[in-house]
Amino acid sequence: MTAVQDAAQVQAPRPRGGLAQSVTDSLVVAKRNLIRMTRIPEMVIFGLIQPIMFVVLFSYVFGGSMSVGGSTDPGTYREFLMAGIFAQTVTFATAGAGAGIADDMHKGLIDRFRSLPMARGAVLTGRTLADLVQTTLTVVVLAIVALLVGWRVHEGLPKALAAFGLLLFLGYAFSWIGALIGLSVRTPEAATSGGLIWLFPVTFVSNAFVDSSQMVSWLQPIADWNPFSATVQACRELFGNPGVSQSDAWPMQHPVLASLLWSTVIIVVFRTLAVRKYRSATV
């Protein structure tokens, strides 16, 4: 009897702290979602097609009719545009994140996860981390396409990498909004629709495609204080692209700091709401 007890003590796993368990469980869930993505390659392929279409359409269809700093040169607009396209790409991934979580809810997978001895926030954290990896791949491909159509970085590689870091941080922050939406609806279709409805005003009422000074007066402060606009403006400065804002709004004068603050606040608020919703959500 003593030998059996000793063997059980040897085989028993060491207790882990809350943070260690949360990190480990999150990475396991992230791995599960990444494996699933590799088995469904069309998810990645279709995610790449849309931003590439936006680059080509806006560059060559609208480029000659847009004015940036008084210049109507299509090349100037292409450089102005790319920060907005990058930001739009990382935020539109939110809809896919919400749909994926809603699909897991619909199939009962979330209920099975909740029955396991794992950290409560690990399922959502793992899912958002996996989406961040997919978004990173999309941004890399998009950057190559942008270089092919004439976009250039003028402030050096370190600042360019910092700009991409801000973009991915914003995308990760918005993915928590998608997670909350995915937990709040009943079907993946509803999650996709709900995930896109609010993204269109956020991305288009901003400085992504036109300078906010060209908007009607009552829209300008909304665009200037838009978290999306702060990241776009920060990337333009770090890339050395045209489009320096003339606005006196604090986010436009300190876009890098504003981008970091906005993304951090969004993560804190919506992760808290999403984890709370996860604990009580039912199909």
Side-chain angles (χ1 to χ4, degrees), residues 189-208:
E189 293 79 9
T192 301
S193 300
L196 289 173
I197 287 174
W198 66 275
L199 278 173
F200 277 103
V202 167
T203 55
F204 283 95
V205 184
S206 71
N207 60 0

Side-chain angles (χ1 to χ4, degrees), residues 201-202 204-207 212 215-230 247 249 251-252 262:
V202 167
F204 283 95
V205 184
S206 71
N207 60 0
S212 60
M215 300 179 182
V216 295
S217 58
W218 62 271
L219 265 183
Q220 291 180 19
I222 297 176
D224 290 340
W225 284 89
N226 185 343
F228 186 85
S229 294
S247 172
M252 296 297 99
W262 272 122

Side-chain angles (χ1 to χ4, degrees), residues 49-66 74 77-78 81-82 85 88 142 145-146 149 204 209:
I49 292 175
Q50 178 178 303
I52 292 174
M53 289 177 59
F54 270 107
V55 171
V56 175
L57 289 174
F58 274 88
S59 297
Y60 294 105
V61 176
F62 301 111
S65 61
M66 296 292 187
Y77 181 69
R78 277 195 290 272
L81 172 71
M82 281 315 304
I85 294 293
Q88 184 192 51
L142 186 59
V145 174
V149 300
F204 283 95
F209 306 108

Side-chain angles (χ1 to χ4, degrees), residues 11 14 33 53 67 81 120 169 173 176 244 253 280 283:
Q11 294 175 0
R14 294 181 179 179
N33 283 284
M53 289 177 59
S67 174
L81 172 71
R120 287 298 185 185
F169 192 36
W176 282 105
V244 177
Q253 295 298 314
S280 60
V283 178

Side-chain angles (χ1 to χ4, degrees), residues 13 36 40 67 70 73 80 98 102 119 137 139 164 216 232 248-249 254 257:
R36 181 172 178 266
I40 313 176
S67 174
D73 177 44
F80 171 87
L137 174 62
V139 169
F164 285 120
V216 295
V232 171
D248 293 330
H254 308 87
L257 179 58

